[in-house]
């Protein structure tokens, strides 16, 4: 542990950047929390190549897009007697945070920094400020032990901040080249989601094409949990965010059971995939959980979803329960084909026609879209027509799905009441849990995982690797036994056709209906619907019972008992 | 500790009522968490009377309303050599939870139960189900060690549930009498807020008038923190709820600083008083905090509040900060006189006139109300006119104040932008933190405080007392040194004139603008407004650093260093 605590406590100073305020007791205690490391990065190691890689789809196109990098093997670190001589020198490395916040980002940076300090003495680490724009504009800060210290094990991305810019155009690539040349960078670590890691790979290819020495390594970040594959079992931040949401859901469940009169509709962040919703369901056992991928697979309509919820509410009412908790993924309506159709038609009409009060414009909608529009609650109809983005497009993201569903369920229940098939009382309460989860103090798991990802990224750069994503595996074993390596970014890629061109993309990992987490959920949901099997996970603990638990999704996917 | 752990682990069995589901690891660990008790209730004690009491206001009227109870002294438990002989027998006691949930309610019940088991052997404790209605309908459950065990240190009120009924009419008092006679009750403990404790005192007086043996003791419950006085320094649940909200606020603050582009408007539960908002501000240091009591004292208008927020946003923008966090009490608009006036006029107009589309009806509003109505965002105008309660009244409680303020600030900023006095970017994000905080696992403080309140209530009944509220003091000292006693409920009362009659009420304790918590806040808020002194309290911990902290409000009010 002594070696780790040296690594973890690289500096004792305080950065004036963050620490003009006082820390809470919990924040302070986390600052000095020592982090264990996988044993392979604690001693001398060598890099072992795996077999040549391919691509997730369309390997021929990927090969054309990445002629230098395509096919390179994924690598694993294995212990060895002495550090290989080619790893002797010091390095100049840049790091950037890209996209939305996820708990643990600061620990990835700490991991890179501590690795370089410990293993590549004399190295320099630059933090690019404000995301990829910082690379293009050469806005950076040199990271020192004093600068990093106040961010250790803390949430947020505020050490160097993040941004959503992309390095895409030839001019932007040129700017990036100028920056890495100016700073004489041996390496660059891009911490981000699927898009950012695709961008990292394009940079890696570009630097290689130009015969520049700068290597690029990615790190898997997103609370949404949709950047993962066999070799990259998890994106960081997912564990913490889900546990924060699950704490709140558990509290709301206890409230629902205590008052006995509310249905809580909880919308959870995660626009593309429903991993967060599924994980929270496994942690808390709600009465109803909607998984977007299932809705899409079964080609369900909004009416189907409404009926599914209403049916369970009616059955519960017969059992004497006029309360419950319902989880809804943020991106639900993106999964419903008929909604996509309506939005497309609306955008077309609104761009060219006048919306008359009498509603004659509605006749321009297709039959199915007309029916759907009329089925929507009035508030949602108005929102679609009135609140448009600067391009005049309907803003799907602004629809508060939980409120929409409450309103539609209410209407359906009123109908059933008048038909005599429902005699209960229904009161809906809406919640959206989002921003609260992106910047919490990282759980012990995320803190350790990120630290290992960062150390791994440092080790890969130190070994001269490029175009890989830092990969830490065997995550259900003790940290000592975690594996460390890198996966070829091109191996995660497929192409999409956009504007007549092939664009490389890392496919988002969606909830697999045949995967262990969904299957477990599906095998219990009928029981959870009618019986109240609520679990309250409680607040994240850093010490004592529950503090080292790993989320259900990861445990189930890795085949560990959950 | 051995004695405490016996008290704390009264039973090893599991109640089939709650434990049909599995507990989380944290819930399970809390079940067996031993609770310390004030030393005075751990050995023999006697009751020492204080001086005769009066009332909080209009003592003559209170005396008329409570001829038997008025003037009785508050009492304190003091250690003695041997238990006084009059405390020999066993008791039959009922307990009821009244009103909204607050973390710790189960521990009050455990405290009563353990006291009776330990000190009045052979006693029986009945739990009335569903609040005061359970008393009137004689719906109860006999509480056993097995029944209580799964609720120890757990959140929620689901052990016996709660309700909002009141025992008011002569028929209802008659029903209560029948129930306590049927169960042969020696005592009744009412766990509730200001109204419920007033009701408890009316019951105590009534039983005394009728020469019935049943004594009544109250316990101070409410997350709102507005039931307190010198002898009852805190209501339970406030500590936990504020810490849950502060965790979320801290996360949102880190998010705000990391993204640098959002103003988060956070509305916090607490309709009558702003204690929760003030406490959360002291814990987290937001840029702007609105305290309802100050708005009322300064007779501010909605425009004043909007301008105050907008001014700070403009100043922050000049400093380069286009983000921030703003706390708003749920009851804000109830504190603004002009809003009350508008609502009253609207109710009058809506009851008698037609709301014509041309808006001629608006001419019936007074001049000030007309101006205010026009100042309100359109969505709020529509809400006021359309969403009325079953009596046709405007529903103030449904107004999402945080969204209203975002909209008004937006309008004001647009104005300033066109005038050239503001050049920033403003994006508002709204949050409401409410239900998440009422049923969380109680903090160590609330767990211990409630357990002591319950033991104290048991001790007061055992000593033959009635019409008192359980009072545990010296709360900033170690638990061993906490004082235990009872305060005359009549001493907390004043009268209000309703329908031509005097009604006794326990006045809500509002935020005192001259009190230590507000003064501390006021002395720092200018600094917090422009500099970012955010603190992230992190999730509630049950072990280790921060786990035994008491909230700022209580520490400041008790004069302890905060």
């Amino acid at each position: 542990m002594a070696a780790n605590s040296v690594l973890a406590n690289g500096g004792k100073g305080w950065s004036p950047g963050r620490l003009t305020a006082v820390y809470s007791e919990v924040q302070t205690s986390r600052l000095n929390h020592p982090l264990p490391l996988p044993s392979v990065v604690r001693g001398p190691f060598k890099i072992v190549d795996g077999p040549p890689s391919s691509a997730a789809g369309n390997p021929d196109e990927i090969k054309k897009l990445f002629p230098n990098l395509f096919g390179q093997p994924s690598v694993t670190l294995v212990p060895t007697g002495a550090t290989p001589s080619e790893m002797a020198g010091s390095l100049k490395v840049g790091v950037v945070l890209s996209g939305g916040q996820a708990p643990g980002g600061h620990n990835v940076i700490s991991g890179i920094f501590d690795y370089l300090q410990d293993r590549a003495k004399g190295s320099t680490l630059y933090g690019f400020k404000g995301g990829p724009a910082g690379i293009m504009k050469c806005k950076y800060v040199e990271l020192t032990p004093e600068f990093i210290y106040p961010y250790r094990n803390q949430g947020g991305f505020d050490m160097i901040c993040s941004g959503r810019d992309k390095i895409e155009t030839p001019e932007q690539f040129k700017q990036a080249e100028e920056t890495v040349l100016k700073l004489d960078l041996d390496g660059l670590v891009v911490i981000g989601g699927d898009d950012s890691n695709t961008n990292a790979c394009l940079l890696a290819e570009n630097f290689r094409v130009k015969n520049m020495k700068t290597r690029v390594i990615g790190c898997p970040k997103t609370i949404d949990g949709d950047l993962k594959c066999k070799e990259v079992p998890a994106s960081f931040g997912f564990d913490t965010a889900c546990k924060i949401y699950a704490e709140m859901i558990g509290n709301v469940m206890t409230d629902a059971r205590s008052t006995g009169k509310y249905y809580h509709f909880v919308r959870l962040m995660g626009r593309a995939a429903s991993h967060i919703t599924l994980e929270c369901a496994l942690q808390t056992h709600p009465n109803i959980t909607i998984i977007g991928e299932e809705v899409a697979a079964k080609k369900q309509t909004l009416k189907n979803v409404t009926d599914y919820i209403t049916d369970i509410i009616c059955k519960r009412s017969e059992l004497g329960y006029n309360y419950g908790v319902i989880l809804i993924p943020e991106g639900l309506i993106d999964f419903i084909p008929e909604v996509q159709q309506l939005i497309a038609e609306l955008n077309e009409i609104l761009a060219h026609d006048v919306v008359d009060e009498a509603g004659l414009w509605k006749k321009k909608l297709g039959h199915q879209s007309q029916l759907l529009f009329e089925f929507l609650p009035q508030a949602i109809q108005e929102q679609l027509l009135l609140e448009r983005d600067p391009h005049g497009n309907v803003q799907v993201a602004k629809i508060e799905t939980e409120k929409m569903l409450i309103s539609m369920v209410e209407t359906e229940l009123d109908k059933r009441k008048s038909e005599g098939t429902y005699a209960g009382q229904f009161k809906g309460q809406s919640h959206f849990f989002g921003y609260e989860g992106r910047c919490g103090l990282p759980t012990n798991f995320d803190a350790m995982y990120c630290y290992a990802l960062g150390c791994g990224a440092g080790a890969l750069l130190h070994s001269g690797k490029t175009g890989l994503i830092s990969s830490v595996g065997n995550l259900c074993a003790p940290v000592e036994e975690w594996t460390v390596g890198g996966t070829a970014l091109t191996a995660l890629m497929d192409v999409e056709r956009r504007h007549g061109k092939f664009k490389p993309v890392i496919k988002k990992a969606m909830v697999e209906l045949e995967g262990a987490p969904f299957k477990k959920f599906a095998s219990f949901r009928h029981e959870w619907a009618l019986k109240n099997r609520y679990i309250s996970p409680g607040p994240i603990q850093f010490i004592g019972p529950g503090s080292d638990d790993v989320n259900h999704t990861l445990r189930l996917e890795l085949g560990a008992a959950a």
Side-chain angles (χ1 to χ4, degrees), chain A residues 35-40 448-449 452 473-475 477-483:
Chain A
L35 294 173
L37 272 176
S39 61
V40 68
M448 296 187 295
Y449 180 51
N474 200 24
L475 295 174
V479 178
E480 300 275 303
E481 299 165 28
W482 286 1
T483 59

Side-chain angles (χ1 to χ4, degrees), chain A residues 150-168:
Chain A
Y151 299 93
R152 287 182 185 267
N153 300 311
Q154 307 295 313
F157 272 9
D158 48 325
M159 186 204 287
I160 53 175
C161 291
S162 180
R164 293 189 182 274
D165 303 276
K166 278 180 201 168
I167 301 172
E168 285 182 314

Side-chain angles (χ1 to χ4, degrees), chain A residues 440-556:
Chain A
L441 285 162
T443 56
N444 284 342
F445 173 77
D446 268 330
M448 296 187 295
Y449 180 51
C450 288
Y451 195 58
L453 282 173
C455 283
L460 294 171
L461 287 175
H462 202 196
S463 312
K465 295 294 169 187
T466 191
L468 304 178
I469 184 167
S470 180
S471 311
V472 174
N474 200 24
L475 295 174
C476 287
V479 178
E480 300 275 303
E481 299 165 28
W482 286 1
T483 59
V484 179
T487 304
L489 278 164
T490 46
L492 308 185
M493 288 189 193
D494 197 344
V495 287
E496 270 183 12
R497 193 119 190 135
R498 283 186 208 165
H499 307 298
K501 270 187 176 176
F502 281 118
K503 267 197 78 163
V505 287
I506 297 178
K507 283 260 178 198
K508 281 188 196 296
M510 308 303 281
V511 169
E512 301 273 357
L513 302 187
E514 291 305 314
F518 183 84
K519 281 171 97 168
K520 179 164 184 188
F521 156 73
S523 72
F524 279 102
R525 65 174 145 183
H526 302 289
E527 184 184 329
W528 298 347
L530 301 183
K531 296 172 184 173
N532 301 316
R533 304 298 199 211
Y534 302 152
I535 292 189
S536 181
I540 289 169
Q541 298 298 295
F542 296 117
I543 302 175
S547 61
D548 286 327
D549 282 2
V550 179
N551 62 77
H552 293 241
T553 302
L554 183 59
R555 273 185 286 162
L556 288 163

Side-chain angles (χ1 to χ4, degrees), chain A residues 240-254 280 283-284 433 535-541:
Chain A
T240 306
C242 289
K243 285 174 182 164
I244 291 172
Y245 301 142
E247 175 197 356
M248 298 299 122
I249 295 165
N251 289 355
V252 163
M253 283 171 163
T254 308
C280 288
Q283 286 191 30
T284 62
F433 297 152
I535 292 189
S536 181
I540 289 169
Q541 298 298 295

